[in-house]
Amino acid sequence: MPKGYWIATMDIHDTAIYDKYRAANAKPFADYGARFLVRGGTQQVREGQMRARTVVLEFDSYADAVACYESPGYQRAKDIRLNVADGSLVIVEGYDG
């Protein structure tokens, strides 16, 4: 079964409140077995445009990735983030070739 991934790019406008978002998302991430593959860090944009921060989370399955996003716990965390960061988040099924 292919894994599931969240790929998020964000520009953060208030790091103190964003830290509250990170604290709030810890429980749903643990509940759904999320593992950080990329969490900020140095990046170089070589083509196109990106935001300042990139995060990649891995889940055991695409279904787990979707369920985590739709969970009440993550939705509460997301509500904290919405006013302090602009970005994009995609949930994608991994390649199992």
Side-chain angles (χ1 to χ4, degrees), residues 1-7 32-35 37 56-66 90-96:
M1 173 185 325
K3 294 184 178 185
Y5 297 88
W6 286 17
I7 303 170
Y32 289 91
R35 293 169 298 285
L37 301 181
V56 179
L57 286 165
E58 180 181 67
F59 295 82
D60 288 337
S61 69
Y62 179 77
D64 287 345
V66 171
V90 61
I91 301 173
V92 62
E93 184 178 61
Y95 176 70
D96 192 15

Side-chain angles (χ1 to χ4, degrees), residues 76-94:
R76 285 190 295 274
K78 183 182 82 168
D79 287 344
I80 297 168
R81 176 181 48 82
L82 288 178
N83 291 324
V84 299
D86 296 318
S88 299
L89 186 148
V90 61
I91 301 173
V92 62
E93 184 178 61

